[in-house]
Amino acid sequence: IIEPVKVAGVTISRVTLHNSDEIERLNLCVGDEVEVIRSGDVIPKLVRVVKSHGGKKSTLDACPSCSSKILRYGPFYYCSNKNCDGIEFRRLKKWVDKRNIMYLGDCHLKTLYDSGVNTVPKLYELTEEGFIKAGISVGMATKIYAEVQNSKNVTLADFIGSLSIDMLGRSESQNLIDLGFETLEEFKDLRVEDLLKHIGYKQTKASRIVSGLKDARQLIDELEPLLNLSAKEKKLTKGSTSGKSFVICL
């Protein structure tokens, strides 16, 4: 965030820094005078420090949510407390976003979280009346409850990919399914050596995926009976146009 300045006819107050490595490369401190451009004539970007005023370094020493010690891997920061409220809320929010549960934005999600609905399984255990008791208005509770029920139908790839497991999003989960790990039980029992047999999986990546699945095991076991899990997505069947190419002239 910078003091507003006009660049190429546009007033800029926020600029791209990408990550903490870039902050360190620029030796950037709060209060510094900087040069800003519009990269590609579009994206506001901080290029260099023109004059340093010796202000505070922009570093993160403790988790802003629970004040626990911060761990750093490369340019990424992680809270060391696995039970951190901030992590739990983001995990719940990611699930809601990935499952496309309408009407459950940050405001209503925070209301639920503060009332004790702080895990994904608890969200699915709520009745319509439960949403109301948690602080959601009657009309909105009806809408959210219906959306939550609709989101129960989930493929294996979407299920695993919505659990906030490091390096195991939806596309990576589908890739593992395509490699032959086609059931939830196979994901639960996944070993590092199983992944190392396949191209694209080295020790670090394989270890983080397996470790993430292990940490999420309780969550997976709690969610499994609450959802309608299908092993695979429906595939398109061949029709009269299969294998044909078309040119559309406008």
Side-chain angles (χ1 to χ4, degrees):
I1 300 175
I2 63 172
E3 290 183 7
V5 60
K6 278 200 171 183
V7 181
V10 176
T11 300
I12 303 298
S13 60
R14 293 174 180 267
V15 292
T16 296
L17 274 174
H18 188 59
N19 57 38
S20 56
D21 283 351
E22 185 70 359
I23 294 174
E24 292 175 358
R25 185 185 72 79
L26 293 166
N27 194 28
L28 189 64
C29 297
V30 176
D32 287 352
E33 293 181 36
V34 296
E35 179 182 352
V36 174
I37 65 171
R38 290 180 65 196
S39 182
D41 292 326
V42 178
I43 301 173
K45 180 180 180 181
L46 196 155
V47 179
R48 66 187 178 96
V49 174
V50 176
K51 184 177 181 181
S52 177
H53 289 272
K56 180 183 177 182
K57 288 280 187 179
S58 182
T59 57
L60 190 62
D61 300 317
C63 174
S65 181
C66 70
S67 300
S68 296
K69 180 181 178 182
I70 288 292
L71 304 176
R72 181 175 175 181
Y73 300 102
F76 302 106
Y77 290 90
Y78 298 86
C79 177
S80 58
N81 176 17
K82 291 186 178 181
N83 297 317
C84 171
D85 276 345
I87 293 177
E88 291 299 330
F89 181 79
R90 292 294 298 180
R91 182 177 288 118
L92 183 59
K93 176 175 169 53
K94 181 175 180 179
W95 177 274
V96 169
D97 290 343
K98 290 291 184 180
R99 298 304 309 125
N100 196 29
I101 301 176
M102 300 292 289
Y103 308 113
L104 195 47
D106 286 359
C107 182
H108 288 131
L109 197 59
K110 188 68 166 59
T111 297
L112 292 176
Y113 191 88
D114 291 343
S115 73
V117 186
N118 51 13
T119 66
V120 179
K122 288 181 180 179
L123 179 65
Y124 285 97
E125 290 167 354
L126 274 182
T127 61
E128 188 172 334
E129 184 180 350
F131 278 100
I132 297 171
K133 287 182 177 180
I136 306 297
S137 64
V138 176
M140 189 56 67
T142 300
K143 292 179 179 180
I144 295 175
Y145 177 74
E147 286 289 324
V148 170
Q149 295 306 301
N150 289 336
S151 73
K152 285 184 174 182
N153 299 313
V154 60
T155 65
L156 179 58
D158 280 330
F159 174 57
I160 297 295
S162 301
L163 294 174
S164 299
I165 297 175
D166 188 25
M167 304 192 80
L168 194 55
R170 197 258 175 218
S171 60
E172 190 63 58
S173 300
Q174 186 59 53
N175 186 53
L176 289 176
I177 292 171
D178 293 340
L179 289 174
F181 305 100
E182 299 182 344
T183 67
L184 185 56
E185 289 304 316
E186 287 176 294
F187 270 86
K188 289 180 182 179
D189 298 333
L190 198 63
R191 301 174 302 170
V192 172
E193 49 266 39
D194 294 331
L195 293 179
L196 295 179
K197 296 175 183 177
H198 299 281
I199 296 174
Y201 294 93
K202 301 296 184 181
Q203 184 69 40
T204 299
K205 181 177 181 178
S207 296
R208 288 169 70 176
I209 288 175
V210 171
S211 176
L213 282 167
K214 183 178 179 181
D215 290 341
R217 180 62 183 268
Q218 181 178 344
L219 177 59
I220 292 172
D221 288 341
E222 289 177 358
L223 271 175
E224 186 179 3
L226 299 173
L227 303 175
N228 303 318
L229 186 62
S230 60
K232 295 182 179 180
E233 294 181 276
K234 293 181 179 179
K235 294 184 177 181
L236 293 176
T237 56
K238 290 186 177 181
S240 59
T241 59
S242 296
K244 295 182 180 180
S245 299
F246 296 87
V247 177
I248 309 292
C249 296
L250 300 176

Coordinates of all heavy atoms in Angstrom, one line a residue, residues 5-67:
V5 N -0.6 7.9 -6.0 CA 0.2 8.7 -7.0 C -0.4 8.4 -8.4 O -0.8 7.3 -8.7 CB 1.7 8.3 -6.9 CG1 1.9 6.8 -7.2 CG2 2.5 9.1 -7.8
K6 N -0.3 9.4 -9.3 CA -0.8 9.2 -10.6 C 0.3 8.6 -11.5 O 1.4 9.1 -11.6 CB -1.3 10.5 -11.3 CG -2.7 10.8 -10.8 CD -3.4 11.8 -11.8 CE -4.9 12.0 -11.5 NZ -5.5 12.9 -12.4
V7 N 0.0 7.4 -12.2 CA 0.9 6.8 -13.1 C 0.2 6.5 -14.4 O -0.8 5.8 -14.4 CB 1.4 5.5 -12.5 CG1 2.4 4.8 -13.5 CG2 2.1 5.7 -11.2
A8 N 0.6 7.2 -15.5 CA 0.0 7.0 -16.8 C -1.5 7.3 -16.8 O -2.3 6.5 -17.3 CB 0.3 5.6 -17.3
G9 N -1.9 8.3 -16.0 CA -3.3 8.8 -16.0 C -4.1 8.0 -15.0 O -5.3 8.3 -14.9
V10 N -3.6 7.1 -14.3 CA -4.4 6.3 -13.3 C -3.8 6.5 -11.9 O -2.6 6.5 -11.7 CB -4.3 4.8 -13.6 CG1 -5.1 4.0 -12.6 CG2 -5.0 4.6 -15.0
T11 N -4.7 6.8 -10.9 CA -4.2 6.9 -9.5 C -4.0 5.5 -8.9 O -4.8 4.7 -8.9 CB -5.3 7.7 -8.7 OG1 -5.5 9.0 -9.2 CG2 -4.8 7.8 -7.2
I12 N -2.7 5.3 -8.4 CA -2.3 4.0 -7.9 C -2.1 4.2 -6.4 O -1.5 5.1 -5.9 CB -1.0 3.6 -8.5 CG1 -1.1 3.5 -10.1 CG2 -0.5 2.2 -7.9 CD1 -2.1 2.5 -10.5
S13 N -2.7 3.2 -5.6 CA -2.5 3.2 -4.2 C -2.0 1.8 -3.7 O -1.6 1.6 -2.6 CB -3.7 3.6 -3.4 OG -4.8 2.7 -3.7
R14 N -2.1 0.8 -4.6 CA -1.7 -0.6 -4.3 C -0.8 -1.1 -5.4 O -1.2 -0.9 -6.6 CB -2.9 -1.5 -4.0 CG -3.7 -1.2 -2.8 CD -4.9 -2.0 -2.7 NE -5.7 -1.7 -1.6 CZ -5.6 -2.3 -0.4 NH1 -4.7 -3.3 -0.2 NH2 -6.4 -2.0 0.6
V15 N 0.3 -1.7 -5.0 CA 1.2 -2.2 -6.1 C 1.6 -3.7 -5.8 O 1.5 -4.2 -4.7 CB 2.5 -1.4 -6.1 CG1 2.2 0.0 -6.6 CG2 3.2 -1.3 -4.8
T16 N 2.0 -4.4 -6.9 CA 2.4 -5.8 -6.8 C 3.8 -5.9 -6.2 O 4.7 -5.3 -6.7 CB 2.3 -6.4 -8.2 OG1 1.0 -6.4 -8.6 CG2 2.8 -7.9 -8.1
L17 N 3.9 -6.8 -5.2 CA 5.2 -7.1 -4.6 C 5.5 -8.6 -4.8 O 6.6 -9.1 -4.5 CB 5.3 -6.7 -3.2 CG 5.8 -5.3 -2.9 CD1 5.7 -4.9 -1.5 CD2 7.2 -5.1 -3.4
H18 N 4.5 -9.4 -5.2 CA 4.6 -10.8 -5.4 C 4.7 -11.6 -4.1 O 3.8 -12.3 -3.7 CB 5.7 -11.2 -6.4 CG 5.7 -12.6 -6.8 ND1 4.6 -13.2 -7.4 CD2 6.6 -13.6 -6.7 CE1 4.8 -14.4 -7.7 NE2 6.0 -14.7 -7.2
N19 N 5.8 -11.6 -3.4 CA 6.0 -12.3 -2.2 C 7.1 -11.8 -1.3 O 7.7 -10.8 -1.7 CB 6.2 -13.8 -2.5 CG 7.4 -14.1 -3.3 OD1 8.4 -13.4 -3.2 ND2 7.3 -15.0 -4.2
S20 N 7.4 -12.4 -0.2 CA 8.4 -11.9 0.7 C 9.8 -11.9 0.2 O 10.6 -11.1 0.6 CB 8.3 -12.7 2.0 OG 8.5 -14.1 1.7
D21 N 10.1 -12.8 -0.8 CA 11.4 -12.8 -1.4 C 11.7 -11.5 -2.1 O 12.8 -10.9 -2.1 CB 11.5 -14.0 -2.4 CG 11.8 -15.3 -1.7 OD1 12.0 -15.3 -0.5 OD2 11.7 -16.3 -2.3
E22 N 10.6 -11.0 -2.8 CA 10.7 -9.7 -3.5 C 10.9 -8.5 -2.6 O 11.7 -7.6 -2.9 CB 9.5 -9.5 -4.4 CG 9.5 -8.3 -5.3 CD 10.5 -8.4 -6.5 OE1 11.2 -9.5 -6.6 OE2 10.6 -7.5 -7.2
I23 N 10.3 -8.6 -1.4 CA 10.5 -7.5 -0.4 C 11.9 -7.5 0.1 O 12.5 -6.4 0.2 CB 9.5 -7.7 0.8 CG1 8.0 -7.6 0.3 CG2 9.8 -6.8 1.9 CD1 7.0 -7.9 1.4
E24 N 12.5 -8.7 0.3 CA 13.9 -8.8 0.7 C 14.8 -8.4 -0.4 O 15.9 -7.7 -0.1 CB 14.1 -10.2 1.2 CG 13.4 -10.6 2.5 CD 13.6 -12.0 2.9 OE1 14.3 -12.7 2.1 OE2 13.1 -12.4 3.9
R25 N 14.5 -8.7 -1.6 CA 15.4 -8.4 -2.7 C 15.5 -6.8 -2.9 O 16.6 -6.3 -3.1 CB 14.9 -9.0 -4.0 CG 15.8 -8.7 -5.2 CD 15.2 -9.2 -6.5 NE 14.0 -8.4 -7.0 CZ 14.2 -7.3 -7.6 NH1 15.4 -6.8 -7.9 NH2 13.1 -6.6 -8.0
L26 N 14.4 -6.2 -2.7 CA 14.3 -4.7 -2.8 C 14.8 -4.0 -1.5 O 15.0 -2.8 -1.5 CB 12.9 -4.3 -3.1 CG 12.3 -4.7 -4.4 CD1 10.8 -4.4 -4.5 CD2 13.0 -3.9 -5.6
N27 N 15.0 -4.8 -0.4 CA 15.4 -4.3 0.9 C 14.4 -3.2 1.3 O 14.7 -2.1 1.7 CB 16.8 -3.7 0.9 CG 17.3 -3.4 2.3 OD1 16.9 -4.1 3.3 ND2 18.2 -2.5 2.4
L28 N 13.1 -3.5 1.2 CA 12.0 -2.6 1.3 C 11.6 -2.4 2.8 O 11.5 -3.4 3.5 CB 10.8 -3.0 0.5 CG 9.6 -2.1 0.4 CD1 10.0 -0.8 -0.4 CD2 8.5 -2.8 -0.4
C29 N 11.4 -1.1 3.2 CA 11.0 -0.8 4.5 C 9.8 0.1 4.5 O 9.5 0.8 3.5 CB 12.1 -0.1 5.3 SG 13.6 -1.1 5.6
V30 N 9.0 0.1 5.5 CA 7.8 1.0 5.6 C 8.3 2.4 5.6 O 9.2 2.8 6.3 CB 7.0 0.7 6.9 CG1 5.9 1.7 7.0 CG2 6.5 -0.7 6.9
G31 N 7.7 3.3 4.7 CA 8.1 4.7 4.7 C 9.0 5.0 3.6 O 9.3 6.2 3.3
D32 N 9.6 4.0 2.9 CA 10.5 4.2 1.8 C 9.9 5.0 0.6 O 8.7 4.8 0.4 CB 11.1 2.9 1.3 CG 12.1 2.3 2.3 OD1 12.5 3.0 3.3 OD2 12.6 1.2 2.0
E33 N 10.6 5.8 -0.1 CA 10.2 6.3 -1.4 C 10.5 5.3 -2.5 O 11.7 4.8 -2.6 CB 10.9 7.7 -1.6 CG 10.4 8.7 -0.6 CD 11.1 10.1 -0.9 OE1 11.3 10.4 -2.1 OE2 11.5 10.8 0.0
V34 N 9.6 5.0 -3.3 CA 9.7 4.0 -4.3 C 9.4 4.4 -5.7 O 8.6 5.4 -5.9 CB 8.9 2.7 -4.0 CG1 9.4 2.1 -2.6 CG2 7.4 3.1 -3.9
E35 N 9.8 3.7 -6.7 CA 9.5 3.9 -8.1 C 8.4 2.9 -8.5 O 8.5 1.7 -8.2 CB 10.7 3.8 -9.0 CG 10.3 4.0 -10.5 CD 11.5 3.8 -11.4 OE1 12.6 3.7 -10.9 OE2 11.3 3.8 -12.7
V36 N 7.3 3.4 -9.1 CA 6.2 2.6 -9.5 C 5.9 2.7 -11.0 O 6.0 3.8 -11.5 CB 4.9 2.9 -8.7 CG1 3.7 2.1 -9.1 CG2 5.2 2.6 -7.2
I37 N 5.7 1.6 -11.6 CA 5.3 1.6 -13.0 C 4.0 0.8 -13.2 O 3.5 0.1 -12.3 CB 6.4 1.0 -13.9 CG1 6.5 -0.5 -13.6 CG2 7.7 1.7 -13.8 CD1 7.4 -1.3 -14.6
R38 N 3.4 0.9 -14.4 CA 2.3 0.0 -14.7 C 2.8 -1.0 -15.7 O 3.0 -0.8 -16.9 CB 1.1 0.8 -15.4 CG 0.4 1.7 -14.4 CD -0.7 2.5 -15.0 NE -1.7 1.6 -15.5 CZ -2.7 2.0 -16.3 NH1 -2.7 3.2 -16.9 NH2 -3.6 1.1 -16.7
S39 N 3.1 -2.2 -15.2 CA 3.7 -3.3 -16.0 C 2.7 -3.7 -17.1 O 1.6 -4.0 -16.8 CB 4.0 -4.5 -15.1 OG 4.6 -5.5 -15.8
G40 N 3.2 -3.7 -18.3 CA 2.3 -4.0 -19.4 C 1.2 -3.0 -19.6 O 0.2 -3.2 -20.2
D41 N 1.5 -1.8 -19.1 CA 0.5 -0.7 -19.1 C -0.8 -1.0 -18.3 O -1.8 -0.3 -18.5 CB 0.1 -0.3 -20.6 CG 1.3 0.3 -21.3 OD1 2.1 1.0 -20.7 OD2 1.4 0.1 -22.5
V42 N -0.7 -2.0 -17.4 CA -1.9 -2.4 -16.7 C -1.6 -2.6 -15.2 O -2.2 -1.9 -14.4 CB -2.5 -3.7 -17.2 CG1 -3.7 -4.2 -16.4 CG2 -2.8 -3.6 -18.7
I43 N -0.7 -3.5 -14.9 CA -0.5 -3.9 -13.5 C 0.5 -3.0 -12.7 O 1.6 -2.8 -13.1 CB 0.0 -5.3 -13.4 CG1 -1.0 -6.3 -14.1 CG2 0.2 -5.8 -11.9 CD1 -0.4 -7.7 -14.2
P44 N 0.0 -2.3 -11.6 CA 0.9 -1.5 -10.8 C 2.0 -2.3 -10.2 O 1.7 -3.3 -9.5 CB 0.0 -0.9 -9.8 CG -1.4 -1.0 -10.3 CD -1.3 -2.3 -11.1
K45 N 3.3 -2.0 -10.4 CA 4.4 -2.8 -9.9 C 5.4 -1.8 -9.3 O 5.8 -0.8 -9.8 CB 5.0 -3.5 -11.1 CG 6.2 -4.4 -10.7 CD 6.8 -5.1 -11.9 CE 8.0 -6.0 -11.5 NZ 8.6 -6.7 -12.6
L46 N 6.0 -2.3 -8.2 CA 7.0 -1.6 -7.5 C 8.4 -2.0 -8.0 O 8.7 -3.2 -8.0 CB 7.0 -1.8 -6.0 CG 7.7 -0.9 -5.1 CD1 7.1 -0.8 -3.7 CD2 9.2 -1.3 -5.0
V47 N 9.2 -1.1 -8.6 CA 10.4 -1.4 -9.3 C 11.6 -1.4 -8.4 O 12.4 -2.3 -8.4 CB 10.6 -0.5 -10.5 CG1 11.9 -0.8 -11.2 CG2 9.4 -0.6 -11.5
R48 N 11.7 -0.3 -7.6 CA 12.9 -0.1 -6.8 C 12.7 0.9 -5.7 O 11.7 1.7 -5.8 CB 14.1 0.3 -7.7 CG 14.0 1.7 -8.2 CD 15.1 2.1 -9.2 NE 14.9 3.4 -9.8 CZ 15.4 4.5 -9.3 NH1 16.2 4.5 -8.3 NH2 15.2 5.7 -9.9
V49 N 13.6 0.9 -4.7 CA 13.6 1.9 -3.7 C 14.4 3.1 -4.1 O 15.6 2.9 -4.4 CB 14.1 1.3 -2.4 CG1 14.2 2.4 -1.3 CG2 13.3 0.2 -1.8
V50 N 13.8 4.2 -4.2 CA 14.5 5.5 -4.6 C 15.2 6.1 -3.4 O 16.4 6.5 -3.5 CB 13.5 6.5 -5.2 CG1 14.2 7.8 -5.5 CG2 12.8 5.9 -6.4
K51 N 14.6 6.1 -2.3 CA 15.2 6.6 -1.1 C 14.7 5.9 0.2 O 13.5 5.8 0.4 CB 14.9 8.1 -1.0 CG 15.6 8.8 0.2 CD 15.3 10.3 0.2 CE 16.0 11.0 1.4 NZ 15.8 12.5 1.4
S52 N 15.6 5.4 1.0 CA 15.2 4.7 2.2 C 15.1 5.6 3.4 O 16.0 6.5 3.5 CB 16.1 3.5 2.5 OG 15.8 2.9 3.7
H53 N 14.1 5.5 4.2 CA 14.0 6.3 5.4 C 14.2 5.5 6.7 O 13.9 6.0 7.8 CB 12.6 7.0 5.4 CG 12.4 8.0 4.4 ND1 12.8 9.4 4.6 CD2 12.0 8.0 3.1 CE1 12.6 10.1 3.5 NE2 12.1 9.2 2.5
G54 N 14.7 4.3 6.5 CA 15.1 3.5 7.7 C 13.9 3.1 8.5 O 14.0 3.0 9.8
G55 N 12.8 2.9 7.9 CA 11.6 2.5 8.7 C 11.6 1.0 9.1 O 12.6 0.3 8.9
K56 N 10.5 0.6 9.5 CA 10.3 -0.8 10.0 C 10.3 -1.8 8.8 O 9.7 -1.5 7.8 CB 9.0 -1.0 10.8 CG 8.8 -2.4 11.3 CD 7.4 -2.4 12.0 CE 7.2 -3.9 12.5 NZ 5.8 -4.0 13.2
K57 N 11.0 -2.9 9.0 CA 11.0 -3.9 8.0 C 9.6 -4.6 7.9 O 8.9 -4.8 8.9 CB 12.0 -5.0 8.3 CG 13.4 -4.6 8.1 CD 13.8 -4.7 6.6 CE 15.3 -4.4 6.4 NZ 15.7 -4.5 5.0
S58 N 9.1 -4.9 6.7 CA 7.8 -5.5 6.6 C 7.9 -7.0 6.7 O 8.0 -7.8 5.8 CB 7.2 -5.2 5.2 OG 5.9 -5.7 5.0
T59 N 8.0 -7.5 8.0 CA 8.2 -8.9 8.3 C 7.1 -9.4 9.2 O 6.4 -8.6 9.9 CB 9.5 -9.1 9.0 OG1 9.6 -8.4 10.2 CG2 10.7 -8.8 8.0
L60 N 6.9 -10.7 9.1 CA 5.9 -11.3 10.0 C 6.5 -12.2 11.0 O 7.2 -13.2 10.6 CB 4.9 -12.1 9.1 CG 3.6 -12.7 9.7 CD1 2.8 -11.5 10.2 CD2 2.9 -13.5 8.7
D61 N 6.4 -11.9 12.3 CA 7.1 -12.6 13.3 C 6.2 -13.6 14.0 O 6.7 -14.6 14.5 CB 7.7 -11.7 14.3 CG 8.8 -10.7 13.7 OD1 9.6 -11.2 12.9 OD2 8.7 -9.5 14.0
A62 N 4.9 -13.3 14.1 CA 4.0 -14.1 14.8 C 2.7 -14.2 14.0 O 2.3 -13.3 13.2 CB 3.7 -13.6 16.2
C63 N 1.9 -15.2 14.2 CA 0.7 -15.4 13.5 C -0.3 -14.3 13.9 O -0.5 -14.1 15.1 CB 0.1 -16.8 13.8 SG -1.6 -17.0 13.1
P64 N -0.9 -13.6 12.9 CA -1.8 -12.5 13.3 C -3.1 -13.0 13.9 O -3.9 -12.2 14.4 CB -2.1 -11.8 11.9 CG -1.8 -12.9 10.9 CD -0.7 -13.7 11.5
S65 N -3.4 -14.3 13.8 CA -4.6 -14.8 14.3 C -4.5 -15.4 15.7 O -5.3 -15.1 16.6 CB -5.1 -16.0 13.4 OG -6.4 -16.5 13.9
C66 N -3.4 -16.1 16.0 CA -3.2 -16.8 17.3 C -1.9 -16.4 18.0 O -1.7 -16.9 19.1 CB -3.4 -18.3 17.2 SG -2.0 -19.1 16.3
S67 N -1.1 -15.6 17.4 CA 0.2 -15.2 17.9 C 1.2 -16.3 18.1 O 2.3 -16.1 18.8 CB 0.0 -14.5 19.3 OG -0.8 -13.4 19.1

